[in-house]
Amino acid sequence: MSSPPVVLSIAGTDSGGGAGLAADLTTFAALGAHGTCAVTAVTAQDTTGVHRVVSLSAADVQSQVVAVLQDLPVAAAKTGMLGSAEVACVVADLAAGSVPLVVDPVLTATSGAVLGDDELVTAYREVLLPRCTVVTPNLDEAVRLTGLDPDRPAVEIARALHEIAPAVVLTGGDPWTRTCRDVVVDGSGHLEIFEHPAVPTRNDHGTGCTFSAALAVHLARGLDLHAAVTLAQEFVAAALRVAAPWELGRGRGPVAHVLTHPH
């Protein structure tokens, strides 16, 4: 058997196991990839919210990323919670260019906790996003990154973000509607709306991390953006369906990362 693709996650921990590195590494495993990681922050977190964040220094993150890249054949990388502008700059210098880099610009937790300040937003705009392969924000994150009014059409916001990043997947959709719509702008500027059935559930903690992690795995396998987005959407939808009846925690429960079928 051939070796599995190696994917690197640069993100924070989630002690509740639903998002962050927990979501990334379990998603990598579920899709047959070998997961590696660089920890950017340690959080005290559960389904109800983020209660404490201990951030690592840029040097700490840098040493982890260097250790992985110098030893393992990383085929793709993704970012989650970075925590500071300094860490964003380190990631841009070390992880961009040689392999596909998926940037999930984590600025706000599912619970509403703010995880990124204005300096980090500036670093995303000026340093990291221009060097990434694709950025995967939700609507709130895209609004912060572009500065546009949230009432503007999602297509306009995605196109504005494409002026900063090479490709964009603007994820969105109310789980209590019938259809979710993701706006995708590829490297050539072609815009397409990907529609998929919504999954009514309150167990949606970690969906953004899970989607970007799945996207990174499929890009690591050499798929184009269109195919990778389609498969990542299918994986997240399956994870949501499996977890829908779960009763875990007092808040918004996790999706089922490893109980889905990768193919």
Side-chain angles (χ1 to χ4, degrees), residues 180-202:
C180 292
R181 294 175 175 84
D182 296 339
V183 181
V184 179
V185 187
D186 66 18
S188 65
H190 174 71
L191 185 145
E192 187 173 359
I193 296 177
F194 285 54
E195 294 189 348
H196 51 101
V199 180
T201 178
R202 284 190 57 80

Side-chain angles (χ1 to χ4, degrees), residues 13-14 19 43-53 81-83 105-117 120 138 140-141 144 205 252:
T13 68
D14 173 3
T43 72
Q45 186 175 171
D46 56 28
T47 61
T48 67
V50 179
H51 308 295
R52 179 174 170 80
V53 177
M81 175 186 174
L82 296 180
V106 176
L107 297 170
T108 306
T110 302
S111 61
V114 176
L115 301 175
D117 59 17
L120 177 56
N138 59 31
D140 290 341
E141 291 160 346
R144 284 196 69 187
H205 183 51
R252 296 171 73 169

